[in-house]
Amino acid sequence: MSLPAGSTIGIIGGGQLGRMLAIAAARLGYRTVVLEPQADCPAAQVANRQIVAAYDDQAALAELASASAVVTYEFENVPVAAATALAASVPVYPPARALEVAQDRVSEKTFLNGIGIATADFRSVDSDDELTAGLKAFGGSGILKTRRMGYDGKGQRVFRNMETGGFAGTCKAMGNVPLILESFVPFEREISVISARGLDGTIAAYDPAENVHRDGILHTSTLPAAVPPRTAEAARAAAGKILSALDYVGVIGVEFFVLADGSLLANEIAPRVHNSGHWTEAACVVSQFEQHIRAVAGLPLGNPRRHSDCVMENLIGDDVLRVPALLAEPDLMLHLYGKAEARPGRKMGHFTRIGGRQ
Ligand code: AMP
């Protein structure tokens, strides 16, 4: 059953991803209501209505449920309890199970390994002694990350060739929260696949993007990725496996490390539209945002075919000063997020240059 035009889609989270979802929803004839504690957020600027409240505010969630024909979200740290409670009165897509898996790096990797998708070796770490033992097991190198609430490289510490110990105080310095130690992956490049699953179980995957990070934040996504066809196909297939295993509805982003022999290790699942899929706005007829709205609204998925090569680049902080020069370029699509203040590290917008690798 598809949502009739004029229906309202609820979006939890009011950042740029919510904004782009709201714009796509409007293009398909839908209305949107955004739940977000920050007033005049990027999504609310283009949505029909905002409920200004915390994501776990019971009254606000009830209001969102009664105002919406379906509820979705733009970030993976939506409280699982809130998504589960909402799902009792309104369809919530992607399913709460996807949030549960993606919110904890240990459950994420356990889930991936369980369905036959390889990841870096990992161990959960709750003490400095466990860290010492883990690093020893991984030959002295590894990345220590918070299990929950980490993003854009925050809450991470890299160890190289440090087998001997002397890690007293590390867990405390990381905030005494549950941690994961991952073995250090000697990757050649990083790619991600944006894929979607419709209400009818149909799957549509975009081409993998090759991603370059700077200071832990995505800098560029380049299409095509410099990987052999079998690597691209393996990435698409892995994303499809994840979507089916989670009985998923909507768009998912899956990040991978590519090793020298072309094999893949999955790094992260994002149960939402993803920064490394912004290029689809400019280089595909149906963007990841429209695809997500189509999926949650029960419409047929669009064709994920890429009609152009392209490079997407994020505008972080003062990068917005480049806007006048970017606007002068002929084959460039610019997208700004309506954020007033350009703080360092803040994603202010992005652009996609059509044609060729940089
Ligand atoms: P994440 O927050 O897990 O996406 O990690 C941020 C970035 O750190 C990744 O995009 C990689 O560039 C790097 N990284 C994360 N985990 C590993 C790993 N196990 N081995 C090598 N590099 C990693």
Side-chain angles (χ1 to χ4, degrees):
M1 263 281 291
S2 61
L3 280 191
S7 304
T8 298
I9 297 175
I11 301 173
I12 305 178
Q16 63 268 15
L17 301 179
R19 178 184 178 96
M20 292 185 267
L21 287 172
I23 292 170
R27 275 186 48 238
L28 292 176
Y30 296 120
R31 303 171 68 83
T32 47
V33 51
V34 170
L35 171 65
E36 162 64 45
Q38 184 211 318
D40 192 39
C41 58
Q45 292 169 19
V46 302
N48 297 84
R49 183 181 160 207
Q50 178 177 8
I51 300 171
V52 182
Y55 309 124
D56 58 357
D57 181 311
Q58 296 302 316
L61 287 165
E63 201 179 330
L64 182 71
S66 73
S68 309
V70 58
V71 171
T72 187
Y73 44 86
E74 60 127 36
F75 70 114
E76 60 271 41
N77 289 317
V78 170
V80 174
T84 309
L86 266 180
S89 51
V90 63
V92 177
Y93 302 127
R97 167 95 179 112
L99 289 172
E100 209 172 353
V101 165
Q103 282 177 2
D104 179 333
R105 292 183 191 272
V106 170
S107 44
E108 184 175 49
K109 286 190 168 56
T110 306
F111 162 76
L112 289 167
N113 295 167
I115 59 169
I117 297 174
T119 63
D121 288 337
F122 67 97
R123 311 182 149 202
S124 58
V125 165
D126 293 311
S127 68
D128 297 334
D129 285 346
E130 283 176 2
L131 171 61
T132 308
L135 277 172
K136 203 164 257 172
F138 295 158
S141 297
I143 301 201
L144 188 65
K145 304 179 181 177
T146 55
R147 279 174 63 167
R148 305 180 73 90
M149 304 298 270
Y151 67 97
D152 285 350
K154 291 188 172 62
Q156 302 194 4
R157 190 151 162 207
V158 180
F159 297 89
R160 303 300 294 263
N161 309 315
M162 294 175 68
E163 218 169 307
T164 44
F167 306 119
T170 305
C171 289
K172 189 166 174 224
M174 297 275 291
N176 274 331
V177 292
L179 301 171
I180 180 173
L181 179 70
E182 299 178 12
S183 63
F184 196 84
V185 178
F187 61 83
E188 288 232 305
R189 55 191 89 245
E190 294 184 81
I191 64 168
S192 59
V193 165
I194 308 300
S195 190
R197 187 166 177 271
L199 258 183
D200 61 359
T202 314
I203 289 176
Y206 292 96
D207 283 346
E210 180 168 339
N211 302 319
V212 173
H213 296 86
R214 261 194 202 166
D215 304 324
I217 303 177
L218 182 66
H219 174 50
T220 55
S221 293
T222 298
L223 279 290
V227 294
R230 70 183 162 86
T231 302
E233 191 39 49
R236 272 195 288 262
K241 226 174 182 182
I242 295 166
L243 290 170
S244 299
L246 292 172
D247 199 15
Y248 198 92
V249 175
V251 161
I252 200 168
V254 187
E255 296 180 80
F256 299 92
F257 300 123
V258 184
L259 306 184
D261 65 358
S263 63
L264 294 170
L265 295 179
N267 178 35
E268 236 175 6
I269 305 173
R272 55 170 169 79
V273 287
H274 195 253
N275 195 168
S276 69
H278 290 0
W279 63 271
T280 59
E281 269 181 329
C284 301
V285 170
V286 174
S287 73
Q288 63 165 345
F289 306 104
E290 177 173 338
Q291 195 74 303
H292 186 76
I293 296 297
R294 284 185 182 221
V296 305
L299 298 173
L301 295 184
N303 186 343
R305 191 182 73 82
R306 177 171 57 84
H307 56 66
S308 304
D309 294 349
C310 64
V311 180
M312 187 286 310
E313 186 172 330
N314 273 334
L315 294 170
I316 312 283
D318 282 345
D319 289 347
V320 283
L321 300 175
R322 294 169 60 196
V323 162
L326 293 170
L327 285 172
E329 288 192 36
D331 293 321
L332 184 144
M333 180 180 184
L334 177 70
H335 203 140
L336 297 176
Y337 305 150
K339 298 180 184 177
E341 204 190 331
R343 289 194 291 269
R346 192 174 201 204
K347 289 176 180 168
M348 302 300 292
H350 66 268
F351 62 88
T352 303
R353 225 178 237 131
I354 290 294
R357 294 172 65 87
Q358 269 183 334

